Amino acid sequence: MNQFAALSEQLLRFSPDALVVVDSAGLIQFANETTRTLLGYAPERLIGQSIDLLVPDRLRPRHSAHIGLYLKNPANREMGARVTDLVARRADGTEFPAGVRLAPFQIGSGHYVAAAVRDMTYQRAITDALVAARTEADRANRAKSRFLATASHDLRQPMHAIRLLNGSMQKVAGPIPSLQELLRRQELAIDHATRLLDSLLDVSRLESGAVSPQLGEVNLGSVFADLRHEFDSSAQSKGLHLEFSDTQSVVSTDRMLFIQLLQNLIGNALKYTERGYVRVAQTFDSECLIVKVEDSGIGIPADKLDRIFDEYYQVDPHGAPRLGVGLGLAIVREVSRLLGFGVAVTSRIGEGTAVSVRIPRQKLLQEAPPPRVDRRAAAPAAVRSGNLILLEDNQSVRVATELFLNLEGYRTRSAATVKEAERLFGAIEPGDILVADYRLDGQMSGLDVLNRMRAALGWNIPAVILSGDLESVFRVVTEPIPQCRFLSKPVDTRALTEAIAALASQAVAARTPG
Ligand code: ADP
């Protein structure tokens, strides 16, 4: 026992913390040797002194109040670990950031508190440096994201015009093979630049923290149908089977972001597969609904699997042309983080890749909502195939669009402003279609003009709305709008003509008695 008493004394003596024991009046009853080096007081000088001696003058009133409160309700407690302004005062009046741990105890009827005081100068300096570095990194990241978002947006308009002009040139170039080949190459380059722009904008927006998921009931079957619609023609042009499983599942998630995630996975599967299939299927395990995108493509080497989600990382294609920009899976990573999904990849070289999106069962809503019925009126009967009413405030884009649509065989009437568009209202006839930019100068959007036009006409004129930032548009437009298609700028010229043709044939079908 005596041995242990001696050991305790040595431990107290050489503890790295200054140890003091205070009675219920706040007077120091014990101090160890470390008070000499840490606080500049020989232990015996502290005995009988108020603990306030170790606190800077300016903090004494607050400290006394704290001590009073603590002594009323003493408990083991660490002070200073999170309190940044806790400071101790040395005998020479200098101060240092301190961490203090308190332990109350009783001897006979006497109540005491043991306090261990530690110099936190080094830890505080590290914490301060980390906080400063983090603040700086956040600032730089926000600046980068702002720059990218602005640059991407401002680049979209001229890119949109270039795409339309390229489409027009393909039309007027006629059957001159060398010229057609040049234009086809130019189109590929424009497509690549457009994809890069889209991906940069997506990644910067996701990383800037500006995107917060808008949860809703998302019917997986309708998501699959939209994706089939979007990817069918590119699968067909490569001779690939694109298959979607049947599903009744309804998930609580953000529809736009979920579609964006699957678009990237299906886009990759089609890109990296030359023959065979791309399958999109749902399965379940005990914890998750799993949406699996599987392909019979080139596969990914096992040692690269953990890097493919990094920004700009692309597996070395061994002389083959690079097909993407290396941002698709970074977008998948960010979106799944936002939506609370997991993502897992398995792959075999030469056999194919499977990416599983794991959706926790808590997000699975069992019943599919009933299909929405559109009660708005369809266009009246007896019409001729009509004009395109073009509303676009950017002059070069308007001219390029007009040129392209005229070469495609459409007649156009153009408006540069909402006022000009309103002047055209009286001349609109069933069969006409509105093609409008979403973001117009002034208060009204292209969609506002569409609504105003429909109200004035008394029937639903079909419309194509173009926007450089569809994601933001879909945050405002959450309900489907009948006979209205949204397309992204820079527009894919084929998608534009297909949308117009589909709207025109829908309008004809609606007028043909069943
Ligand atoms: P990229 O734009 O290059 O497709 P991603 O971030 O989408 O960029 O993918 C990163 C890399 O992962 C790709 O460059 C490709 O090498 C590889 N990869 C992604 N998906 C597949 C897939 N389904 N099959 C084979 N390789 C893939």
Side-chain angles (χ1 to χ4, degrees), residues 348-361:
R348 270 175 183 275
I349 289 290
E351 291 182 22
T353 301
V355 185
S356 299
V357 180
R358 297 179 57 78
I359 305 168
R361 274 182 183 266

Side-chain angles (χ1 to χ4, degrees), residues 420-468:
E420 281 182 32
E422 282 175 342
R423 262 183 245 132
L424 296 175
F425 279 13
I428 292 173
E429 291 178 27
D432 290 353
I433 295 175
L434 173 72
V435 177
D437 184 24
Y438 182 81
R439 193 165 119 165
L440 301 168
D441 281 343
Q443 297 289 310
M444 286 179 78
S445 70
L447 194 58
D448 295 330
V449 176
L450 172 66
N451 287 332
R452 198 174 271 197
M453 201 179 257
R454 286 183 169 185
L457 295 170
W459 54 275
N460 281 349
I461 179 170
V464 178
I465 308 279
L466 294 148
S467 166

Side-chain angles (χ1 to χ4, degrees), residues 268-269 271-272 295 298-300 308 313-315 324-330 353:
N268 274 354
K271 223 168 18 179
Y272 298 107
D295 64 58
I298 58 170
I300 304 167
I308 54 174
Y313 185 80
Q314 297 182 287
V315 177
V325 293
L327 288 171
L329 291 180
T353 301

